[in-house]
Amino acid sequence: MAQDLILALDQGTTSTRAILFDRAGQALAEASRPLRQSYPADGWVEHDAEEIYAACVAVLREAVEASGRVAEVAAIGVTNQRETVVVWDRKTGRPIHPAIVWQDRRTADVCARLKEDGHEPRVADVTGLLLDPYFSATKIAWILDRVPGARARAEAGELLAGTMDCWVIWRLTGGATHATDATNASRTLLFDIGAQTWSPEMLELFDVPANLLPKVLDCVDDYGATEARILGREVPIRGVAGDQQAALMGQGCVAPGQMKATYGTGCFMLINTGEEKCVSRARLLTTVAARVDGKTTYALEGSIFVAGAAIQWLGEGLGITGGPRAAEALAKAAKPDHGVVVVPAFTGLGAPWWDANARGGIFGLTRDVGLAEIAAATFDSCALQSRDLIEAMRADAASAFGDAAQLRIDGGMSKSPWFSQRLADLTGIAVRRASYQETTALGAALFAGVGAGLYDSVEEAAKVSPAAETLTPSIKPHEREAAYARWLDAVPRVRL
Protein backbone atom coordinates (compact mmCIF):
# COMPACT_ATOMS: atom_id res chain seq x y z
CA MET A 1 0.00 0.00 0.00
CA ALA A 2 1.41 3.37 -1.02
CA GLN A 3 2.19 5.82 1.73
CA ASP A 4 1.32 9.12 0.09
CA LEU A 5 -0.77 10.89 2.73
CA ILE A 6 0.50 13.54 5.15
CA LEU A 7 -0.91 14.24 8.60
CA ALA A 8 -0.58 17.81 9.85
CA LEU A 9 -0.76 18.71 13.54
CA ASP A 10 -1.56 22.40 14.07
CA GLN A 11 -1.26 23.36 17.74
CA GLY A 12 -2.65 26.89 17.88
CA THR A 13 -3.46 29.50 20.50
CA THR A 14 -7.18 28.78 20.75
CA SER A 15 -7.43 25.27 19.30
CA THR A 16 -5.50 22.17 18.36
CA ARG A 17 -6.24 20.64 14.96
CA ALA A 18 -5.14 17.67 12.88
CA ILE A 19 -5.75 17.48 9.13
CA LEU A 20 -4.99 14.59 6.80
CA PHE A 21 -3.89 15.73 3.33
CA ASP A 22 -3.25 13.88 0.11
CA ARG A 23 -0.28 14.69 -2.11
CA ALA A 24 -2.34 17.25 -4.05
CA GLY A 25 -3.01 19.23 -0.87
CA GLN A 26 -6.64 18.15 -0.56
CA ALA A 27 -7.92 17.75 3.01
CA LEU A 28 -9.34 14.26 3.53
CA ALA A 29 -10.21 14.34 7.22
CA GLU A 30 -9.77 16.62 10.18
CA ALA A 31 -10.43 16.93 13.89
CA SER A 32 -10.06 19.76 16.39
CA ARG A 33 -10.27 20.62 20.07
CA PRO A 34 -10.72 24.07 21.63
CA LEU A 35 -8.02 25.26 23.99
CA ARG A 36 -8.73 27.01 27.27
CA GLN A 37 -6.73 30.07 28.18
CA SER A 38 -6.32 31.35 31.71
CA TYR A 39 -5.59 34.91 32.81
CA PRO A 40 -4.15 34.80 36.36
CA ALA A 41 -3.30 38.52 36.44
CA ASP A 42 -3.41 41.63 34.26
CA GLY A 43 -1.45 40.92 31.08
CA TRP A 44 -0.82 37.27 32.00
CA VAL A 45 -1.92 34.44 29.67
CA GLU A 46 -1.33 30.75 30.38
CA HIS A 47 -2.12 27.32 28.90
CA ASP A 48 -2.19 23.85 30.43
CA ALA A 49 0.57 21.97 28.58
CA GLU A 50 -0.85 18.58 29.57
CA GLU A 51 -4.23 19.58 28.12
CA ILE A 52 -2.46 20.57 24.91
CA TYR A 53 -0.71 17.21 24.60
CA ALA A 54 -3.91 15.29 25.31
CA ALA A 55 -5.68 17.31 22.61
CA CYS A 56 -2.87 16.58 20.14
CA VAL A 57 -3.22 12.84 20.66
CA ALA A 58 -7.01 13.03 20.43
CA VAL A 59 -7.12 14.98 17.16
CA LEU A 60 -4.40 12.87 15.51
CA ARG A 61 -6.35 9.73 16.34
CA GLU A 62 -9.67 11.18 15.22
CA ALA A 63 -8.31 12.38 11.90
CA VAL A 64 -6.81 9.03 10.93
CA GLU A 65 -9.74 7.04 12.28
CA ALA A 66 -12.17 9.18 10.29
CA SER A 67 -10.22 8.38 7.13
CA GLY A 68 -9.47 4.74 7.95
CA ARG A 69 -6.14 5.19 6.14
CA VAL A 70 -3.50 5.35 8.87
CA ALA A 71 -1.39 2.78 6.99
CA GLU A 72 -1.07 5.27 4.10
CA VAL A 73 0.34 8.12 6.20
CA ALA A 74 3.90 8.83 5.09
CA ALA A 75 4.74 11.42 7.72
CA ILE A 76 3.51 13.98 10.21
CA GLY A 77 4.17 17.72 9.95
CA VAL A 78 3.94 19.84 13.10
CA THR A 79 3.18 23.54 13.37
CA ASN A 80 2.53 25.54 16.50
CA GLN A 81 1.81 28.79 18.27
CA ARG A 82 5.27 30.32 18.50
CA GLU A 83 7.02 31.84 21.53
CA THR A 84 4.71 30.03 23.98
CA VAL A 85 7.00 28.05 26.29
CA VAL A 86 6.85 25.21 28.75
CA VAL A 87 9.46 23.89 31.19
CA TRP A 88 9.19 20.28 32.28
CA ASP A 89 10.88 17.57 34.33
CA ARG A 90 13.24 15.50 32.20
CA LYS A 91 12.39 12.24 34.05
CA THR A 92 8.67 12.51 34.79
CA GLY A 93 7.66 14.64 31.81
CA ARG A 94 5.53 16.84 34.06
CA PRO A 95 5.50 20.60 33.44
CA ILE A 96 6.69 22.56 36.46
CA HIS A 97 4.47 25.55 35.62
CA PRO A 98 1.64 26.32 33.18
CA ALA A 99 2.85 27.21 29.69
CA ILE A 100 3.35 30.97 29.32
CA VAL A 101 1.64 32.12 26.12
CA TRP A 102 3.13 34.41 23.49
CA GLN A 103 0.53 37.09 24.38
CA ASP A 104 1.72 37.21 28.00
CA ARG A 105 3.23 40.51 29.17
CA ARG A 106 4.43 39.64 32.69
CA THR A 107 8.09 40.23 31.83
CA ALA A 108 7.60 43.71 30.40
CA ASP A 109 9.61 45.23 33.25
CA VAL A 110 12.56 42.92 32.54
CA CYS A 111 12.56 43.94 28.89
CA ALA A 112 12.31 47.60 29.82
CA ARG A 113 15.35 47.29 32.11
CA LEU A 114 17.40 45.59 29.43
CA LYS A 115 16.45 48.35 26.99
CA GLU A 116 17.44 51.03 29.48
CA ASP A 117 20.78 49.29 29.91
CA GLY A 118 21.37 49.59 26.17
CA HIS A 119 21.14 45.90 25.17
CA GLU A 120 18.52 46.12 22.43
CA PRO A 121 20.81 46.96 19.46
CA ARG A 122 22.99 43.95 20.17
CA VAL A 123 19.98 41.69 20.76
CA ALA A 124 18.50 42.79 17.43
CA ASP A 125 21.80 42.23 15.62
CA VAL A 126 22.15 38.65 16.90
CA THR A 127 18.53 37.47 17.02
CA GLY A 128 16.69 39.74 14.58
CA LEU A 129 14.19 40.48 17.36
CA LEU A 130 13.46 43.35 19.73
CA LEU A 131 13.35 43.32 23.50
CA ASP A 132 9.73 42.48 24.18
CA PRO A 133 7.94 40.07 26.55
CA TYR A 134 6.32 38.53 23.47
CA PHE A 135 9.39 36.33 22.96
CA SER A 136 10.39 33.21 24.87
CA ALA A 137 13.63 33.96 26.73
CA THR A 138 12.26 36.14 29.52
CA LYS A 139 9.34 33.72 29.99
CA ILE A 140 11.75 30.82 30.57
CA ALA A 141 13.83 32.86 33.02
CA TRP A 142 10.66 33.95 34.86
CA ILE A 143 9.64 30.31 35.41
CA LEU A 144 13.12 29.37 36.63
CA ASP A 145 13.16 32.29 39.07
CA ARG A 146 9.59 31.97 40.37
CA VAL A 147 9.13 28.19 40.75
CA PRO A 148 10.93 27.12 43.94
CA GLY A 149 14.12 25.22 43.19
CA ALA A 150 13.66 25.41 39.42
CA ARG A 151 16.85 27.27 38.58
CA ALA A 152 19.03 24.89 40.55
CA ARG A 153 17.28 21.93 38.94
CA ALA A 154 17.76 23.45 35.49
CA GLU A 155 21.47 23.98 36.07
CA ALA A 156 21.72 20.36 37.29
CA GLY A 157 20.22 19.13 34.00
CA GLU A 158 16.95 17.92 35.52
CA LEU A 159 14.66 20.15 33.44
CA LEU A 160 13.95 20.69 29.76
CA ALA A 161 12.35 23.65 28.00
CA GLY A 162 10.89 24.34 24.61
CA THR A 163 8.23 25.96 22.52
CA MET A 164 5.03 23.99 21.93
CA ASP A 165 6.38 22.09 18.92
CA CYS A 166 9.26 20.86 21.05
CA TRP A 167 7.01 19.86 23.96
CA VAL A 168 4.53 18.01 21.76
CA ILE A 169 7.24 16.18 19.79
CA TRP A 170 9.01 15.16 22.99
CA ARG A 171 5.77 13.64 24.28
CA LEU A 172 4.72 12.04 20.98
CA THR A 173 8.10 10.33 20.67
CA GLY A 174 8.07 9.13 24.27
CA GLY A 175 10.88 11.49 25.23
CA ALA A 176 13.16 10.27 22.44
CA THR A 177 13.36 13.63 20.60
CA HIS A 178 14.06 16.97 22.27
CA ALA A 179 14.25 19.18 19.20
CA THR A 180 12.82 22.28 17.61
CA ASP A 181 13.23 23.77 14.15
CA ALA A 182 15.08 26.89 13.10
CA THR A 183 11.90 28.98 12.65
CA ASN A 184 10.76 28.37 16.22
CA ALA A 185 14.28 28.79 17.58
CA SER A 186 14.47 32.17 15.85
CA ARG A 187 11.58 33.41 18.02
CA THR A 188 13.18 32.83 21.40
CA LEU A 189 15.67 35.74 21.72
CA LEU A 190 18.29 33.04 22.30
CA PHE A 191 19.14 32.03 18.71
CA ASP A 192 21.82 33.57 16.50
CA ILE A 193 19.98 33.74 13.18
CA GLY A 194 23.20 34.34 11.24
CA ALA A 195 25.25 31.52 12.77
CA GLN A 196 22.11 29.36 13.13
CA THR A 197 23.02 28.22 16.64
CA TRP A 198 22.00 29.02 20.20
CA SER A 199 23.88 32.17 21.18
CA PRO A 200 26.07 31.89 24.31
CA GLU A 201 25.90 35.68 24.57
CA MET A 202 22.08 35.72 24.64
CA LEU A 203 21.90 32.75 27.01
CA GLU A 204 24.06 34.70 29.45
CA LEU A 205 22.12 37.93 28.99
CA PHE A 206 18.74 36.30 29.67
CA ASP A 207 20.13 33.87 32.29
CA VAL A 208 18.91 30.71 30.57
CA PRO A 209 20.99 27.53 31.04
CA ALA A 210 22.00 25.97 27.72
CA ASN A 211 21.23 22.43 28.87
CA LEU A 212 17.52 23.28 29.01
CA LEU A 213 17.30 23.86 25.30
CA PRO A 214 16.56 21.48 22.41
CA LYS A 215 18.72 20.76 19.40
CA VAL A 216 17.78 22.86 16.38
CA LEU A 217 16.92 21.00 13.17
CA ASP A 218 15.81 22.04 9.68
CA CYS A 219 12.13 22.50 8.82
CA VAL A 220 12.52 19.33 6.76
CA ASP A 221 14.28 16.84 9.01
CA ASP A 222 14.07 13.65 11.06
CA TYR A 223 12.23 14.35 14.32
CA GLY A 224 11.83 10.69 15.24
CA ALA A 225 8.51 8.87 15.19
CA THR A 226 5.37 8.77 17.30
CA GLU A 227 5.04 5.93 19.74
CA ALA A 228 3.13 3.05 18.17
CA ARG A 229 0.43 3.17 20.85
CA ILE A 230 -0.70 6.60 19.70
CA LEU A 231 -1.80 5.79 16.12
CA GLY A 232 -1.42 2.02 16.02
CA ARG A 233 1.96 2.23 14.29
CA GLU A 234 5.01 4.41 14.46
CA VAL A 235 4.60 7.41 12.17
CA PRO A 236 7.69 9.52 11.33
CA ILE A 237 7.68 13.25 12.02
CA ARG A 238 9.46 14.88 9.08
CA GLY A 239 8.46 18.54 9.03
CA VAL A 240 8.23 21.34 11.63
CA ALA A 241 7.70 25.09 11.37
CA GLY A 242 6.22 27.82 13.53
CA ASP A 243 2.68 28.69 12.55
CA GLN A 244 3.44 31.85 10.59
CA GLN A 245 6.31 30.31 8.66
CA ALA A 246 4.13 27.27 7.95
CA ALA A 247 1.44 29.59 6.60
CA LEU A 248 4.07 31.34 4.45
CA MET A 249 4.84 27.93 2.94
CA GLY A 250 1.16 27.01 2.65
CA GLN A 251 0.52 30.24 0.74
CA GLY A 252 3.33 29.41 -1.66
CA CYS A 253 5.50 32.38 -0.60
CA VAL A 254 8.85 30.77 -1.31
CA ALA A 255 10.30 33.54 -3.51
CA PRO A 256 11.66 36.92 -2.36
CA GLY A 257 9.00 39.65 -2.32
CA GLN A 258 6.06 37.34 -1.71
CA MET A 259 4.00 38.40 1.30
CA LYS A 260 1.26 36.89 3.44
CA ALA A 261 -0.82 37.76 6.50
CA THR A 262 -2.65 35.34 8.75
CA TYR A 263 -5.66 36.72 10.64
CA GLY A 264 -6.25 34.62 13.72
CA THR A 265 -6.19 35.67 17.38
CA GLY A 266 -3.52 38.11 16.29
CA CYS A 267 -2.27 38.96 12.82
CA PHE A 268 1.17 38.09 11.52
CA MET A 269 2.50 39.47 8.28
CA LEU A 270 5.67 38.14 6.67
CA ILE A 271 7.51 39.08 3.50
CA ASN A 272 10.06 36.65 2.11
CA THR A 273 13.49 38.30 1.67
CA GLY A 274 15.31 35.21 0.38
CA GLU A 275 18.82 34.47 1.65
CA GLU A 276 19.28 38.14 2.62
CA LYS A 277 19.07 38.80 6.36
CA CYS A 278 17.33 42.15 5.88
CA VAL A 279 17.78 44.56 8.79
CA SER A 280 14.65 46.59 9.47
CA ARG A 281 14.78 50.32 9.96
CA ALA A 282 11.08 50.35 10.88
CA ARG A 283 11.17 48.06 13.93
CA LEU A 284 10.04 44.96 12.11
CA LEU A 285 11.53 41.60 13.02
CA THR A 286 14.09 39.71 10.99
CA THR A 287 13.23 36.05 11.30
CA VAL A 288 13.94 32.69 9.74
CA ALA A 289 11.42 31.92 6.99
CA ALA A 290 12.68 28.34 6.55
CA ARG A 291 15.78 26.21 6.77
CA VAL A 292 15.96 23.30 4.34
CA ASP A 293 19.03 21.23 3.46
CA GLY A 294 21.01 23.57 5.71
CA LYS A 295 20.11 26.63 3.61
CA THR A 296 18.41 29.45 5.50
CA THR A 297 15.93 31.86 3.98
CA TYR A 298 14.73 34.90 5.90
CA ALA A 299 11.65 37.07 6.25
CA LEU A 300 10.66 40.41 7.68
CA GLU A 301 7.74 40.06 10.05
CA GLY A 302 5.27 42.38 11.68
CA SER A 303 3.07 41.17 14.51
CA ILE A 304 -0.35 42.49 15.53
CA PHE A 305 -1.23 41.20 18.98
CA VAL A 306 -5.00 41.62 18.67
CA ALA A 307 -6.93 40.93 15.46
CA GLY A 308 -9.58 38.20 15.69
CA ALA A 309 -9.43 38.63 19.47
CA ALA A 310 -10.89 42.12 18.96
CA ILE A 311 -13.92 40.62 17.22
CA GLN A 312 -14.23 38.14 20.08
CA TRP A 313 -14.20 41.11 22.47
CA LEU A 314 -17.23 42.58 20.72
CA GLY A 315 -19.20 39.61 22.00
CA GLU A 316 -17.55 39.00 25.34
CA GLY A 317 -16.91 42.63 26.26
CA LEU A 318 -19.74 44.54 24.62
CA GLY A 319 -22.42 41.85 24.62
CA ILE A 320 -22.93 41.57 20.85
CA THR A 321 -24.47 38.11 20.65
CA GLY A 322 -24.35 35.71 17.71
CA GLY A 323 -20.61 35.47 17.19
CA PRO A 324 -18.42 37.02 14.46
CA ARG A 325 -21.13 36.85 11.78
CA ALA A 326 -23.52 38.87 13.90
CA ALA A 327 -20.76 41.37 14.70
CA GLU A 328 -20.00 41.72 10.99
CA ALA A 329 -23.67 42.22 10.12
CA LEU A 330 -23.85 44.96 12.75
CA ALA A 331 -20.66 46.58 11.42
CA LYS A 332 -22.08 46.66 7.90
CA ALA A 333 -25.03 48.69 9.24
CA ALA A 334 -22.78 51.42 10.67
CA LYS A 335 -23.20 55.00 9.50
CA PRO A 336 -20.71 55.87 6.77
CA ASP A 337 -17.96 58.29 7.80
CA HIS A 338 -18.75 57.75 11.48
CA GLY A 339 -15.20 58.73 12.47
CA VAL A 340 -14.91 56.22 15.32
CA VAL A 341 -11.48 54.66 15.90
CA VAL A 342 -10.92 51.60 18.06
CA VAL A 343 -7.34 50.81 19.08
CA PRO A 344 -7.50 47.24 20.48
CA ALA A 345 -4.27 47.38 22.49
CA PHE A 346 -5.60 44.95 25.10
CA THR A 347 -2.16 43.39 25.64
CA GLY A 348 -0.01 46.22 24.33
CA LEU A 349 0.92 47.14 20.77
CA GLY A 350 3.07 45.03 18.47
CA ALA A 351 4.95 46.18 15.39
CA PRO A 352 5.95 48.80 14.53
CA TRP A 353 5.13 50.40 17.89
CA TRP A 354 6.32 47.71 20.32
CA ASP A 355 4.71 49.21 23.40
CA ALA A 356 3.91 46.61 26.07
CA ASN A 357 2.24 49.23 28.28
CA ALA A 358 -0.29 50.51 25.74
CA ARG A 359 -3.93 49.76 26.48
CA GLY A 360 -7.01 49.92 24.29
CA GLY A 361 -9.13 52.96 23.57
CA ILE A 362 -12.17 54.15 21.62
CA PHE A 363 -12.08 57.62 20.05
CA GLY A 364 -14.50 59.81 18.13
CA LEU A 365 -17.61 59.02 20.18
CA THR A 366 -20.62 61.29 19.65
CA ARG A 367 -24.29 61.03 20.65
CA ASP A 368 -25.22 59.35 17.36
CA VAL A 369 -22.59 56.62 17.70
CA GLY A 370 -23.73 53.17 18.78
CA LEU A 371 -22.59 49.56 18.80
CA ALA A 372 -22.71 49.37 14.99
CA GLU A 373 -20.10 52.09 14.60
CA ILE A 374 -17.90 50.61 17.33
CA ALA A 375 -18.16 47.20 15.65
CA ALA A 376 -17.21 48.70 12.27
CA ALA A 377 -14.24 50.51 13.81
CA THR A 378 -13.12 47.29 15.48
CA PHE A 379 -13.03 45.43 12.16
CA ASP A 380 -11.26 48.42 10.60
CA SER A 381 -8.64 48.35 13.35
CA CYS A 382 -7.39 45.03 11.98
CA ALA A 383 -6.99 46.56 8.52
CA LEU A 384 -5.39 49.74 9.82
CA GLN A 385 -2.87 47.82 11.90
CA SER A 386 -2.10 45.90 8.71
CA ARG A 387 -1.49 49.22 6.97
CA ASP A 388 1.06 50.05 9.68
CA LEU A 389 2.93 46.85 8.86
CA ILE A 390 2.75 47.38 5.11
CA GLU A 391 4.15 50.90 5.42
CA ALA A 392 6.99 49.56 7.56
CA MET A 393 7.72 46.81 5.03
CA ARG A 394 7.57 49.31 2.20
CA ALA A 395 10.29 51.27 3.96
CA ASP A 396 12.47 48.18 4.46
CA ALA A 397 11.79 46.23 1.26
CA ALA A 398 10.64 48.79 -1.29
CA SER A 399 11.32 46.51 -4.26
CA ALA A 400 8.47 44.23 -3.16
CA PHE A 401 5.90 46.99 -3.58
CA GLY A 402 5.60 47.50 -7.30
CA ASP A 403 2.34 47.68 -9.22
CA ALA A 404 1.87 43.94 -8.76
CA ALA A 405 2.20 43.99 -4.96
CA GLN A 406 -0.34 41.81 -3.26
CA LEU A 407 -1.04 40.53 0.21
CA ARG A 408 -1.93 36.83 0.43
CA ILE A 409 -4.27 36.29 3.38
CA ASP A 410 -5.62 33.39 5.35
CA GLY A 411 -6.98 32.68 8.82
CA GLY A 412 -10.42 33.04 10.34
CA MET A 413 -11.11 36.68 9.47
CA SER A 414 -10.18 36.14 5.82
CA LYS A 415 -13.21 33.87 5.46
CA SER A 416 -15.25 37.08 5.29
CA PRO A 417 -15.38 38.59 1.78
CA TRP A 418 -16.51 41.87 3.35
CA PHE A 419 -13.51 42.12 5.69
CA SER A 420 -11.15 41.05 2.91
CA GLN A 421 -12.45 43.86 0.71
CA ARG A 422 -12.18 46.30 3.60
CA LEU A 423 -8.58 45.19 4.04
CA ALA A 424 -7.82 45.99 0.39
CA ASP A 425 -9.60 49.33 0.69
CA LEU A 426 -7.74 50.51 3.80
CA THR A 427 -4.27 49.18 2.90
CA GLY A 428 -4.40 50.27 -0.73
CA ILE A 429 -2.95 47.05 -2.18
CA ALA A 430 -4.47 43.96 -3.77
CA VAL A 431 -5.53 41.20 -1.39
CA ARG A 432 -5.35 37.56 -2.48
CA ARG A 433 -7.79 35.53 -0.38
CA ALA A 434 -7.03 31.83 -0.20
CA SER A 435 -9.91 29.53 -1.10
CA TYR A 436 -8.71 27.09 1.56
CA GLN A 437 -8.10 28.70 4.93
CA GLU A 438 -6.04 26.10 6.79
CA THR A 439 -2.81 27.12 5.10
CA THR A 440 -0.84 26.82 8.33
CA ALA A 441 -1.61 23.11 8.57
CA LEU A 442 -1.07 22.75 4.82
CA GLY A 443 2.38 24.35 5.11
CA ALA A 444 3.39 21.92 7.86
CA ALA A 445 2.14 19.05 5.70
CA LEU A 446 4.15 20.30 2.71
CA PHE A 447 7.38 20.49 4.72
CA ALA A 448 6.73 16.94 5.95
CA GLY A 449 5.93 15.86 2.40
CA VAL A 450 9.34 17.06 1.26
CA GLY A 451 10.87 15.18 4.18
CA ALA A 452 9.00 12.01 3.25
CA GLY A 453 10.06 12.25 -0.39
CA LEU A 454 6.60 13.03 -1.77
CA TYR A 455 7.98 16.26 -3.27
CA ASP A 456 11.46 16.83 -4.61
CA SER A 457 11.80 20.35 -3.20
CA VAL A 458 9.96 23.09 -1.34
CA GLU A 459 9.46 24.83 -4.70
CA GLU A 460 7.61 21.78 -6.01
CA ALA A 461 5.62 21.50 -2.79
CA ALA A 462 4.66 25.20 -2.94
CA LYS A 463 2.78 24.58 -6.19
CA VAL A 464 0.17 22.82 -4.07
CA SER A 465 -0.88 26.17 -2.51
CA PRO A 466 -4.64 26.78 -2.79
CA ALA A 467 -6.47 28.77 -5.45
CA ALA A 468 -7.36 32.32 -4.45
CA GLU A 469 -9.65 35.26 -5.15
CA THR A 470 -7.98 38.65 -5.71
CA LEU A 471 -9.64 41.80 -4.35
CA THR A 472 -8.48 45.28 -5.34
CA PRO A 473 -9.03 48.61 -3.53
CA SER A 474 -12.43 50.11 -4.30
CA ILE A 475 -12.61 53.30 -2.22
CA LYS A 476 -11.18 56.67 -3.19
CA PRO A 477 -7.59 57.34 -2.10
CA HIS A 478 -8.56 60.41 -0.05
CA GLU A 479 -11.05 58.30 1.96
CA ARG A 480 -8.37 55.72 2.68
CA GLU A 481 -5.84 58.34 3.73
CA ALA A 482 -8.36 60.12 5.97
CA ALA A 483 -9.10 56.85 7.78
CA TYR A 484 -5.39 56.20 8.23
CA ALA A 485 -4.77 59.73 9.50
CA ARG A 486 -7.44 59.23 12.18
CA TRP A 487 -5.74 55.97 13.15
CA LEU A 488 -2.32 57.59 13.41
CA ASP A 489 -3.83 60.31 15.60
CA ALA A 490 -5.44 57.76 17.95
CA VAL A 491 -2.52 55.37 18.49
CA PRO A 492 -0.30 57.77 20.50
CA ARG A 493 -3.23 58.39 22.85
CA VAL A 494 -3.20 54.79 24.12
CA ARG A 495 0.54 54.69 24.76
CA LEU A 496 0.83 55.23 28.49
Side-chain angles (χ1 to χ4, degrees):
M1 182 179 294
Q3 290 186 340
D4 56 3
L5 304 183
I6 315 162
L7 186 57
L9 177 61
D10 181 357
Q11 199 297 293
T13 308
T14 57
S15 68
T16 300
R17 185 183 309 271
I19 305 178
L20 185 65
F21 292 97
D22 65 16
R23 191 180 181 282
Q26 296 300 306
L28 305 178
E30 66 178 271
S32 66
R33 289 281 190 283
L35 176 58
R36 292 183 298 110
Q37 298 190 58
S38 59
Y39 308 93
D42 179 38
W44 292 28
V45 190
E46 295 180 350
H47 283 160
D48 182 337
E50 290 284 6
E51 177 188 348
I52 286 174
Y53 173 65
C56 289
V57 171
V59 297
L60 287 170
R61 285 174 174 166
E62 284 183 29
V64 296
E65 287 170 3
S67 69
R69 300 172 68 178
V70 65
E72 300 174 57
V73 177
I76 291 174
V78 176
T79 185
N80 58 288
Q81 52 169 317
R82 304 170 306 169
E83 298 94 21
T84 298
V85 292
V86 60
V87 178
W88 67 95
D89 186 293
R90 180 190 292 269
K91 290 183 179 179
T92 68
R94 295 194 186 104
I96 67 169
H97 187 275
I100 301 182
V101 180
W102 58 271
Q103 297 164 305
D104 191 282
R105 315 302 289 170
R106 75 185 67 187
T107 59
D109 58 335
V110 175
C111 295
R113 273 199 312 273
L114 290 169
K115 282 183 186 178
E116 290 171 4
D117 291 343
H119 292 292
E120 188 166 70
R122 180 58 182 163
V123 169
D125 183 55
V126 173
T127 72
L129 308 177
L130 300 175
L131 280 169
D132 192 87
Y134 171 33
F135 305 109
S136 308
T138 56
K139 302 178 194 298
I140 296 172
W142 188 95
I143 292 173
L144 297 183
D145 291 333
R146 297 301 181 93
V147 175
R151 183 164 290 283
R153 294 182 66 202
E155 291 171 352
E158 297 175 11
L159 302 179
L160 298 175
T163 44
M164 295 315 300
D165 60 309
C166 180
W167 158 251
V168 168
I169 290 169
W170 190 86
R171 289 295 301 268
L172 289 174
T173 61
T177 301
H178 183 221
T180 190
D181 85 295
T183 69
N184 278 296
S186 74
R187 311 297 297 185
T188 62
L189 281 172
L190 300 171
F191 192 66
D192 185 327
I193 62 171
Q196 289 291 295
T197 59
W198 296 119
S199 166
E201 182 183 356
M202 294 298 108
L203 291 170
E204 181 179 359
L205 177 66
F206 292 103
D207 202 11
V208 174
N211 59 10
L212 274 176
L213 299 178
K215 58 184 175 181
V216 181
L217 303 178
D218 286 0
C219 299
V220 175
D221 219 318
D222 182 356
Y223 288 83
T226 61
E227 292 185 286
R229 63 177 180 81
I230 295 174
L231 296 174
R233 55 172 278 246
E234 292 186 354
V235 180
I237 302 170
R238 292 292 181 266
V240 178
D243 53 8
Q244 304 313 317
Q245 285 89 340
L248 195 71
M249 177 66 181
Q251 284 275 29
C253 296
V254 296
Q258 293 178 321
M259 176 174 54
K260 76 91 199 174
T262 297
Y263 292 87
T265 303
C267 171
F268 301 88
M269 189 181 297
L270 283 79
I271 185 166
N272 188 317
T273 61
E275 295 182 55
E276 178 188 2
K277 186 166 73 86
C278 184
V279 177
S280 175
R281 300 180 302 277
R283 293 177 63 78
L284 297 178
L285 308 176
T286 304
T287 195
V288 175
R291 197 175 82 188
V292 179
D293 292 331
K295 185 180 83 171
T296 303
T297 54
Y298 296 94
L300 282 174
E301 175 175 336
S303 306
I304 297 169
F305 294 153
V306 176
I311 311 308
Q312 187 179 24
W313 166 76
L314 290 173
E316 295 177 354
L318 296 188
I320 298 174
T321 60
R325 289 186 180 180
E328 180 180 313
L330 186 63
K332 290 179 181 178
K335 299 178 183 68
D337 302 322
H338 51 76
V340 177
V341 178
V342 171
V343 184
F346 305 141
T347 55
L349 287 169
W353 311 102
W354 293 110
D355 188 340
N357 296 314
R359 288 298 180 262
I362 304 175
F363 304 94
L365 295 178
T366 60
R367 285 290 301 272
D368 63 345
V369 162
L371 283 178
E373 288 71 33
I374 293 172
T378 302
F379 277 95
D380 281 358
S381 73
C382 301
L384 291 164
Q385 289 177 99
S386 302
R387 171 76 182 266
D388 283 339
L389 299 184
I390 286 170
E391 293 306 321
M393 288 182 177
R394 197 189 305 272
D396 288 329
S399 61
F401 288 88
D403 294 338
Q406 63 175 215
L407 178 64
R408 304 184 187 196
I409 65 170
D410 54 60
M413 292 186 71
S414 70
K415 295 177 182 178
S416 165
W418 174 78
F419 171 73
S420 300
Q421 181 61 59
R422 194 68 181 152
L423 183 62
D425 288 344
L426 291 177
T427 60
I429 67 171
V431 168
R432 187 174 183 265
R433 186 167 73 103
S435 59
Y436 179 68
Q437 299 301 316
E438 302 299 338
T439 54
T440 300
L442 177 59
L446 295 178
F447 279 127
V450 176
L454 300 184
Y455 314 105
D456 291 335
S457 65
V458 291
E459 289 76 19
E460 181 187 354
K463 295 176 183 177
V464 175
S465 61
E469 172 192 15
T470 300
L471 304 166
T472 56
S474 63
I475 65 172
K476 295 177 180 178
H478 73 85
E479 295 174 334
R480 175 167 53 252
E481 296 311 313
Y484 192 49
R486 287 193 295 270
W487 170 260
L488 292 178
D489 178 70
V491 168
R493 299 171 189 264
V494 305
R495 301 184 67 186
L496 305 178

